[in-house]
Amino acid sequence: MAGSFCLTLGHNASAVYIDDDFIVGYEEERLSKKKSDSSFPDLAIQEIYRRVGVSPDDIENVYISHWFDHHDVSATENKYYSAARMKTYFPNATFTQTSGHEFSHHDAHALSVQLFNSYHNQTEHNLVLVVDGFGNNQEVASLYKTELDGSLKRIDRIYGYEHSLGLMYQYAAEACGMDGINDVYKFLGYRTQGMTDDEMLRCHSLIDVMVGDFINVWLADDLARDMPKDNFELTDEVIDLPALMETKRQFINAFSYLVDDDEQFQSRVRVGYAVQEILERVVVAYVRKKLENLNYEADNLLVAGGCFYNVRLNDKLRKALPSHMHFTPMPLAGDQGAGLGVAAFYDDVNPGIFRNLYWGMRDTVGHTTAERISSAEAVRTIPKLIADGMIVNVFHGDHEFGPRALCNTSTLAKPDKKLVEAINTANGRTTVMPMAPAMLESAAMKMFGDSILWKSRGSDEFMITAWNFEDADWAADNVAGAAHRDVDGSYSGRPQIVDPTQNAVVADILEELFTQYDIPCVINTSLNIHGQPIVYDLEDLEKVQTDWTQHCPLPFRTFIIED
């Protein structure tokens, strides 16, 4: 019997094939070359069939996650889904989908992070929090606990677009002229750029009002806890679009208070500071209250949903937990991993699929102007190049699934601000954000201290949380390109701790840099051109080569590492 397909529709459209601990998966954007492509994942499905070689006739189960209020798997034809093509791709399969009335989009998120945790931590008494833009029938936050049999029991759910922290963040970006989907992460850089006392007062006058409004609902037990009834005639829309547009209008109007048309940069600083404060205060207050009031001794907080791609929120939440608790953010916090949660509810899914996120089988054979070297040559060559200040692009192994480049499709360099600026120039990116550090666990212990490493085992391999450097002055002097200076003067980094069992060649490169050159980490950023997805194949790589040759102000070399 063949394995199963897991599809995510809409945001982060993707397809994943699982068969015991074998997994292959692609996000549609990597193949269509359209950033954040939300169209039906035709190309991802086709690529899986091409790579795996399984027959469509043998697929018995397809698990589908989506955030729609109305969806008919047997008939719907729209941008996100095609019933006709589904019948072609999976002629004999049973289709199982999320819905607001049975097993919801948030339930799928919750089970996906529990599956991840069961591989990396095996904690038994878990609280699971899901916070995103919205799921089925306007669910915006959901809380669960682990039962004795390992199942999840939902203990709270908040409904209503107007109560959504994810939508608040998205529309705050749009209020100051940014892309509400692809640019929200930039707020973490803008918010630290500095404000006058008057600007700070202006921000807090809005923060205090909005935090109060959110907390009045989130911390109540009887407000926004009922699923909204349809208040629109059923059309081709998959959600209550008028209600969503009204929420958009309200959030944009609120944050417009901090926007001056002739001060775009400073407007983004103010809005970035305010929206992050609101997000952190509300989520931390909610978790603290639930921990106080629940008769449940949790030893781990698991989080999923798009809001938890926000590494500063994750850092704040981890610090707010009791000292004994683990904190496990889902690396696929967005919708990419939700289809696996549907499969985990209806079938047995091997947690071993989460040993890494190198899920995209791909070719390295073909014409390219990049240099080809063996793994042994890479370990001999690349550390010295990096130590000498060279920017190094690496392309090897299977492709990363999810939003982070995890050193298989990455640009690596010393954690120097000058090199960060050069890479940003080559890519046409904004300069307000530092880059993430990749390191071995031994280096992480030196930089962050060993007292917190146990807190987020597994998650610490995927750049999904931020940690404070133990010595801020040392970080500013030695790893400034991978250190984020916050408004309080502290420095943090969002680490990728490389597991030698999952990426041996990069681990060996990092070991050589640390032991021979006293360089504890490298900056690791996605190998791509700004506005385009992470490089997938040699055709993409060649475009980067051409573009970088024209725009990179410092020397670089690109290597295809062949095992």
Side-chain angles (χ1 to χ4, degrees):
M1 184 178 72
S4 303
F5 271 77
C6 304
L7 305 184
T8 288
L9 307 181
H11 305 149
N12 310 121
S14 59
V16 174
Y17 174 83
I18 52 174
D19 188 357
D20 193 25
D21 67 347
F22 175 73
I23 185 165
V24 178
Y26 302 94
E27 293 176 81
E28 189 71 4
E29 66 159 27
R30 307 293 165 81
L31 303 168
S32 69
K33 318 305 181 187
K34 299 175 183 176
K35 187 72 173 175
S36 301
D37 194 346
S38 61
S39 58
F40 181 66
D42 283 290
L43 298 176
I45 295 169
Q46 292 168 16
E47 188 74 352
I48 289 172
Y49 276 132
R50 188 169 78 87
R51 297 289 179 180
V52 176
V54 67
S55 169
D57 291 334
D58 293 335
I59 303 299
E60 295 184 359
N61 290 292
V62 179
Y63 301 105
I64 306 167
S65 176
H66 60 73
W67 37 263
F68 313 143
D69 298 345
H70 303 282
H71 185 71
D72 184 346
V73 294
S74 65
T76 297
E77 296 286 339
N78 57 28
K79 169 186 175 180
Y80 308 112
Y81 184 83
S82 170
R85 297 202 294 281
M86 286 287 287
K87 292 173 183 175
T88 299
Y89 292 137
F90 313 109
N92 300 319
T94 298
F95 302 153
T96 306
Q97 66 171 333
T98 54
S99 75
H101 298 277
E102 297 175 8
F103 181 80
S104 79
H105 180 70
H106 278 199
D107 300 337
H109 270 306
L111 276 174
S112 70
V113 68
Q114 180 169 262
L115 190 68
F116 173 84
N117 182 68
S118 67
Y119 179 78
H120 287 280
N121 293 302
Q122 297 93 41
T123 51
E124 296 180 353
H125 300 94
N126 305 314
L127 283 180
V128 184
L129 177 62
V130 177
V131 183
D132 61 4
F134 60 90
N136 305 119
N137 297 91
Q138 300 188 40
E139 56 185 357
V140 298
S142 300
L143 185 67
Y144 310 77
K145 68 176 183 178
T146 306
E147 297 282 70
L148 292 176
D149 63 358
S151 64
L152 287 181
K153 178 182 179 181
R154 191 179 79 222
I155 53 179
D156 194 22
R157 174 161 290 167
I158 301 169
Y159 292 97
Y161 297 138
E162 67 273 25
H163 307 306
S164 169
L165 291 170
L167 290 178
M168 175 200 68
Y169 217 93
Q170 175 182 338
Y171 296 140
E174 294 186 22
C176 52
M178 294 161 58
D179 186 321
I181 300 296
N182 294 315
D183 287 345
V184 290
Y185 73 94
K186 296 177 183 177
F187 274 147
L188 295 180
Y190 279 117
R191 65 180 295 278
T192 65
Q193 299 303 305
M195 292 185 288
T196 65
D197 290 344
D198 286 343
E199 286 180 297
M200 190 67 76
L201 288 171
R202 185 175 167 187
C203 286
H204 278 279
S205 66
L206 178 65
I207 291 167
D208 292 343
V209 170
M210 293 190 69
V211 168
D213 289 344
F214 272 109
I215 283 181
N216 285 340
V217 172
W218 278 57
L219 270 61
D221 294 323
D222 56 352
L223 297 178
R225 265 47 180 197
D226 296 323
M227 185 185 300
K229 296 180 180 178
D230 289 346
N231 60 0
F232 63 103
E233 292 184 4
L234 187 59
T235 66
D236 289 337
E237 300 295 345
V238 295
I239 61 170
D240 188 343
L241 192 58
L244 180 63
M245 291 300 99
E246 175 57 21
T247 296
K248 176 179 179 178
R249 185 194 67 78
Q250 291 175 1
F251 280 133
I252 289 178
N253 182 64
F255 286 102
S256 293
Y257 171 69
L258 301 178
V259 175
D260 294 332
D261 291 339
D262 59 344
E263 293 184 348
Q264 184 186 75
F265 185 91
Q266 206 60 25
S267 294
R268 293 176 178 179
V269 173
R270 290 189 292 268
V271 174
Y273 175 82
V275 74
Q276 185 68 27
E277 284 290 309
I278 297 165
L279 176 69
E280 292 173 12
R281 290 190 191 184
V282 174
V283 174
V284 169
Y286 177 79
V287 170
R288 279 177 169 162
K289 182 189 177 186
K290 292 302 180 183
L291 286 172
E292 290 171 3
N293 294 348
L294 286 173
N295 184 25
Y296 184 74
E297 293 295 326
D299 53 21
N300 198 348
L301 175 65
L302 285 53
V303 297
C307 285
F308 295 108
Y309 277 138
N310 188 305
V311 296
R312 179 178 161 82
L313 169 63
N314 292 344
D315 180 48
K316 284 284 187 178
L317 198 48
R318 173 179 54 79
K319 291 173 179 175
L321 295 176
S323 60
H324 72 279
M325 283 188 69
H326 295 254
F327 177 63
T328 304
M330 173 61 162
L332 302 176
D335 291 353
Q336 303 99 320
L340 291 164
V342 184
F345 182 72
Y346 291 100
D347 203 348
D348 292 327
V349 178
N350 189 326
I353 60 175
F354 279 114
R355 59 191 176 273
N356 60 51
L357 292 179
Y358 304 124
W359 293 355
M361 298 171 67
R362 64 180 175 186
D363 298 319
T364 59
V365 177
H367 170 73
T368 178
T369 58
E371 303 174 63
R372 294 183 181 273
I373 57 174
S374 68
S375 295
E377 290 173 315
V379 175
R380 288 194 299 267
T381 303
I382 291 177
K384 186 176 188 308
L385 290 174
I386 290 176
D388 289 342
M390 180 73 69
I391 298 169
V392 175
N393 297 324
V394 294
F395 180 99
H396 71 108
D398 290 333
H399 191 46
E400 296 93 335
F401 188 85
R404 312 294 193 207
L406 300 171
C407 292
N408 273 16
T409 320
S410 293
T411 298
L412 308 178
K414 278 198 303 186
D416 184 290
K417 278 191 172 182
K418 179 180 69 174
L419 297 174
V420 170
E421 291 171 2
I423 295 167
N424 282 332
T425 298
N427 282 328
R429 295 176 185 162
T430 181
T431 59
V432 298
M433 287 294 291
M435 293 179 180
M439 69 200 73
L440 297 175
E441 184 173 304
S442 56
M445 292 172 66
K446 174 182 177 180
M447 291 188 288
F448 302 110
D450 58 5
S451 61
I452 65 168
L453 292 189
W454 65 271
K455 279 269 191 180
S456 297
R457 290 290 182 191
S459 299
D460 57 15
E461 299 174 22
F462 302 102
M463 297 185 285
I464 194 64
T465 189
W467 294 346
N468 286 110
F469 290 96
E470 280 203 317
D471 186 333
D473 292 336
W474 178 89
D477 292 340
N478 293 277
V479 292
H484 181 70
R485 187 182 188 278
D486 211 338
V487 292
D488 62 1
S490 65
Y491 281 83
S492 63
R494 50 184 179 97
Q496 176 196 357
I497 297 181
V498 176
D499 181 350
T501 69
Q502 302 303 320
N503 200 330
V505 64
V506 171
D508 287 345
I509 289 169
L510 292 171
E511 177 72 21
E512 188 76 5
L513 280 164
F514 193 25
T515 58
Q516 299 301 316
Y517 299 96
D518 197 29
I519 297 174
C521 67
V522 295
I523 51 176
N524 169 24
T525 188
S526 56
L527 179 56
N528 69 331
I529 300 171
H530 180 59
Q532 297 183 18
I534 300 172
V535 162
Y536 169 59
D537 54 22
L538 293 184
E539 181 181 347
D540 295 340
L541 184 62
E542 203 60 26
K543 291 177 182 177
V544 170
Q545 285 282 89
T546 300
D547 201 74
W548 273 52
T549 299
Q550 295 174 354
H551 298 115
C552 189
L554 292 177
F556 74 94
R557 290 173 71 176
T558 302
F559 294 100
I560 299 175
I561 303 173
E562 299 176 319
D563 296 325

